[in-house]
Amino acid sequence: MTSVKACELSELTVDQAKRCVLDGVPVAVVLDSSGDVHAIGDTCTHGDISLSEGFVEDGTLECWAHGSQFSLTTGKPLSLPAYEPVPVYSVDIVDGSIFIDPTVTKEI
């Protein structure tokens, strides 16, 4: 599969996650305070909770329900109760549009 358009860069707000469903795969897209765009799996591995409804801070996305923080760069949980990582996807920005291939995860 090839990359699909997730959203426009202009649709993102710094340090807030945006939920995008790409070919049936929920992805949280985040523009961090450094200007980098990240894409990680949108479902908390501790429970079936959308991470995009959580809080972005210091390079992490926190599950609003249970408090687990996931690294935006590695997908690894940095706090309990989650102990399994979420997938991380490569992001391509072309002419202000964000493209992600939801079938290929980064090897971290």
Side-chain angles (χ1 to χ4, degrees):
M1 178 172 285
T2 59
S3 295
V4 294
K5 184 176 176 181
C7 62
E8 295 293 325
L9 184 59
S10 62
E11 295 177 46
L12 300 180
T13 302
V14 173
D15 288 340
Q16 289 186 6
K18 177 177 179 60
R19 185 175 197 267
C20 299
V21 179
L22 309 173
D23 293 332
V25 178
V27 176
V29 181
V30 176
L31 173 63
D32 70 19
S33 58
S34 298
D36 296 321
V37 177
H38 305 274
I40 68 172
D42 186 48
T43 306
C44 179
T45 57
H46 173 255
D48 192 21
I49 303 293
S50 174
L51 291 175
S52 62
E53 296 176 27
F55 312 100
V56 177
E57 184 177 53
D58 298 327
T60 66
L61 180 52
E62 181 179 329
C63 177
W64 64 269
H66 302 110
S68 290
Q69 293 178 313
F70 295 87
S71 168
L72 291 173
T73 56
T74 67
K76 294 179 181 175
L78 304 175
S79 60
L80 294 174
Y83 57 89
E84 292 291 326
V86 293
V88 176
Y89 305 96
S90 294
V91 173
D92 293 312
I93 302 173
V94 179
D95 296 328
S97 296
I98 298 171
F99 292 88
I100 299 165
D101 184 342
T103 64
V104 178
T105 58
K106 285 185 180 179
E107 293 296 322
I108 305 294

